[in-house]
Amino acid sequence: MRETGTVVGISQDWQSSELAADAPTGDGVLVVLDTCDFAEEGGWLTISDGDPVAYTLVDDDTSTITLAAPLTAAGAAGDLVRVWDADRGAHAGEW
C-alpha cells in the first residue's frame, strides 16, 4: 500500500539551556537555568554558537556546569548554552 501526503512542519528540539548569570572571560563555572540536557560526567557545550567548550561536571542542585578550562570568551545572562556532540561535530538535538 502506498500513501502520499504533505509535510506540514518539522521541528528540532535542541538539547540546551540559557545562562542564568553573566559568565565573564576566565570563569570556570557556568550557572544555567536547567542542567537536565547536560551529561553529569561531562562533555562539550557551546555558548551563543561560539567554539565548543569542554565541561567536566554538572550539578543539578545548584544548576551549575564546571568547565574543563576557564572561558576564553564571555557570555551574558540569557545566552543560549547548547550541548555539542563532539562525535558528530554538531549541536545535539532530536527531530
Side-chain angles (χ1 to χ4, degrees):
M1 181 170 124
R2 181 177 173 186
E3 293 184 32
T4 60
T6 302
V7 176
V8 177
I10 298 174
S11 66
Q12 173 104 30
D13 180 20
W14 296 112
Q15 294 177 349
S16 64
S17 186
E18 293 179 12
L19 287 176
D22 291 342
T25 301
D27 260 14
V29 177
L30 304 178
V31 181
V32 296
L33 296 179
D34 189 352
T35 58
C36 72
D37 287 336
F38 299 87
E40 289 183 8
E41 68 277 1
W44 293 85
L45 59 80
T46 62
I47 301 172
S48 294
D49 292 329
D51 291 334
V53 176
Y55 67 94
T56 58
L57 181 67
V58 172
D59 187 329
D60 293 330
D61 294 331
T62 60
S63 294
T64 57
I65 300 173
T66 302
L67 304 176
L71 284 175
T72 59
D79 282 354
L80 188 62
V81 180
R82 294 200 289 182
V83 175
W84 180 260
D85 185 334
D87 293 332
R88 291 184 332 125
H91 290 107
E94 298 175 358
W95 289 100

